[in-house]
């Protein structure tokens, strides 16, 4: 078994609507779709999933994402 490119990154969000607006409208990421309490974006081939934590013990800050910009 070997790993290849990252297919998806998941990040917790406490307010999905607000987070979706920020990633779509402020950062300009391509919005793919919403499903329940999750929103999905395309980051040039890597999918970003924003979602609510499934339990309190999983409600912690995620990793910092560094985007390349012009």
């Amino acid at each position: 078994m070997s790993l290849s490119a990252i297919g998806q990154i998941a990040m917790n969000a406490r307010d999905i609507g607000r987070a979706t607006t920020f990633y779509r409208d402020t950062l300009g990421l391509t919005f793919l779709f919403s499903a329940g309490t999750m929103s999905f974006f395309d980051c040039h081939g890597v999918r970003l999933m924003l979602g609510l934590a499934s339990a309190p013990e999983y409600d912690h800050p995620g990793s910092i994402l560094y985007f390349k910009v012009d």
Side-chain angles (χ1 to χ4, degrees):
M1 180 174 108
S2 65
L3 298 177
S4 62
I6 294 173
Q8 178 170 291
I9 296 171
M11 291 184 60
N12 287 340
R14 294 196 175 161
D15 182 334
I16 294 299
R18 183 175 173 208
T20 298
T21 298
F22 175 75
Y23 280 86
R24 182 190 60 219
D25 300 343
T26 303
L27 295 182
L29 293 183
T30 300
F31 176 73
L32 297 173
F33 62 94
S34 290
T37 59
M38 299 174 289
S39 287
F40 295 85
F41 298 86
D42 176 51
C43 301
H44 293 276
V46 176
R47 191 164 54 188
L48 172 64
M49 181 193 83
L50 304 177
L52 298 177
S54 59
E57 60 266 25
Y58 302 122
D59 189 12
H60 53 78
S63 299
I64 298 171
L65 298 178
Y66 293 87
F67 293 95
K68 293 181 178 180
V69 297
D70 292 336

